[in-house]
């Protein structure tokens, strides 16, 4: 699928439009979605494949069924892709009874990927891998940080959706629980923010308003692949009870 992005990376080859929910989609999203869906169906015949681009055409029992199913975001970060930035990824998750048990996140522009299998085994089951010309060149286990509780947490935040008022409110609420966030969070680009946590480069990734809905970042294809990676690296995913913030 990464070859699809490389072939279409020139602006003259990209055709974009706006979906009903206001988010952008391109011919690259759709081509990658078709390719990944075809390959996964061939790999696991009879298993459902739900992607961000085909979900509207699927029956409810396919989207919400139990058992094993694939959930895919063929281009997570379409806006970044359209800007020519590097912070986009392919997200592939395997769900079992509506829980993600396997996750793969791959960033074609960085030739960098992450994967994990949900396991209670103490041995490492979350890894990063570097690629070159379609081959995996190196693999290393992932580990989150062990920042002291009374320290200020290295926090990353999505600049495009940064809401300073909401962030200050979250920071104040967490401070009352002796969890300290910086006055100004880091807003990096390039490496996926959740993967910064899994790699130990950040303590916390804040996503305000991460509930299913336009721009919320809480759809299964947005976070399904990231959940087992972060968890198996030693992290966790939390929602506050009053604002559904991730």
């Amino acid at each position: 699928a990464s070859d699809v992005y490389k072939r279409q990376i020139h602006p003259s080859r990209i055709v974009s439009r706006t979906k009903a929910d206001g988010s952008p989609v391109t011919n690259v999203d759709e081509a990658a979605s078709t390719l990944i869906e075809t390959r996964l169906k061939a790999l696991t015949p009879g298993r459902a494949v739900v992607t961000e681009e085909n979900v509207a055409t699927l029956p409810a029992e396919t989207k919400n069924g139990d058992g094993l199913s694939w959930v895919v975001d063929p281009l997570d970060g379409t806006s970044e892709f359209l800007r020519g930035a590097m912070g986009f990824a392919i997200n592939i998750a395997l769900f079992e009874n509506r829980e993600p048990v396997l996750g793969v996140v791959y960033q074609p522009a960085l030739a960098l990927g992450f994967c994990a299998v949900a396991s209670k085994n103490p041995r490492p089951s979350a890894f990063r891998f570097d690629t070159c010309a379609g081959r995996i060149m190196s693999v290393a286990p992932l580990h989150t940080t062990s920042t002291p509780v009374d320290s200020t947490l290295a926090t990353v935040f999505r600049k495009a959706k940064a809401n300073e008022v909401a962030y200050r409110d979250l920071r104040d609420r967490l401070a009352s629980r002796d969890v300290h966030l910086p006055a100004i969070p880091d807003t990096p680009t390039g490496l996926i923010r959740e993967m910064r946590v899994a790699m130990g480069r950040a303590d916390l990734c804040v996503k305000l308003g991460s509930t299913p809905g336009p721009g919320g970042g809480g759809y299964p294809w947005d976070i399904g692949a990231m959940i087992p990676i972060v968890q198996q690296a030693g992290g966790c995913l939390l929602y506050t009870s009053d604002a559904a913030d991730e």
Side-chain angles (χ1 to χ4, degrees):
S2 65
D3 289 340
V4 173
Y5 304 110
K6 293 174 184 177
R7 289 196 300 268
Q8 301 291 338
I9 199 70
H10 194 278
S12 65
R13 298 176 180 172
I14 299 173
V15 178
S16 65
R17 59 183 173 82
T18 301
K19 294 191 290 187
D21 65 1
S23 63
V25 63
T26 72
N27 57 324
V28 181
D29 297 67
E30 294 167 337
S33 179
T34 299
L35 174 62
I36 294 170
E37 181 180 358
T38 300
R39 296 288 177 85
L40 290 177
K41 285 184 174 179
L43 178 66
T44 55
R47 300 300 181 187
V49 180
V50 180
T51 81
E52 182 178 7
E53 309 314 327
N54 77 4
V55 66
T57 67
L58 298 175
E61 58 269 23
T62 299
K63 293 183 284 187
N64 303 317
D66 293 327
L68 290 172
S69 61
W70 296 98
V71 177
V72 177
D73 189 342
L75 182 49
D76 180 24
T78 302
S79 297
E80 298 246 347
F81 179 73
L82 287 170
R83 291 200 305 270
M86 296 187 292
F88 61 91
I90 304 166
N91 297 342
I92 301 177
L94 179 63
F95 277 65
E96 182 175 19
N97 299 326
R98 307 187 189 185
E99 294 291 335
V101 295
L102 178 151
V104 178
V105 173
Y106 184 68
Q107 296 197 247
L110 300 179
L112 176 63
F114 309 86
C115 60
V117 176
S119 171
K120 295 181 180 180
N121 192 311
R123 297 179 62 182
S125 61
F127 302 89
R128 62 164 286 176
F129 57 92
D130 298 273
T131 67
C132 181
R135 295 177 179 271
I136 295 178
M137 305 304 293
S138 64
V139 178
L142 292 171
H143 301 287
T144 54
T145 60
S146 55
T147 301
V149 175
D150 59 350
S151 299
T152 298
L153 301 180
T155 304
V156 290
F157 198 41
R158 183 172 180 180
K159 186 175 183 179
K161 295 181 180 178
N163 182 321
E164 294 182 5
V165 174
Y167 177 77
R168 287 198 300 269
D169 177 64
L170 175 64
R171 187 188 66 198
D172 292 343
R173 284 188 282 123
L174 290 179
S176 68
R177 305 175 191 178
D178 292 326
V179 177
H180 305 287
L181 306 188
I184 302 175
D186 191 11
T187 54
T189 58
L191 184 63
I192 297 294
R193 286 164 292 279
E194 291 86 347
M195 297 302 97
R196 290 179 182 271
V197 174
M199 294 178 73
R201 296 187 180 182
D203 300 311
L204 180 68
C205 172
V206 175
K207 299 181 76 174
L208 297 170
S210 293
T211 54
Y219 289 111
W221 47 81
D222 289 314
I223 62 174
M226 299 178 187
I227 291 173
I229 296 173
V230 172
Q231 289 178 336
Q232 295 302 310
C236 63
L237 188 75
L238 299 174
Y239 293 86
T240 61
S241 59
D242 53 349
D245 297 329
E246 181 182 335

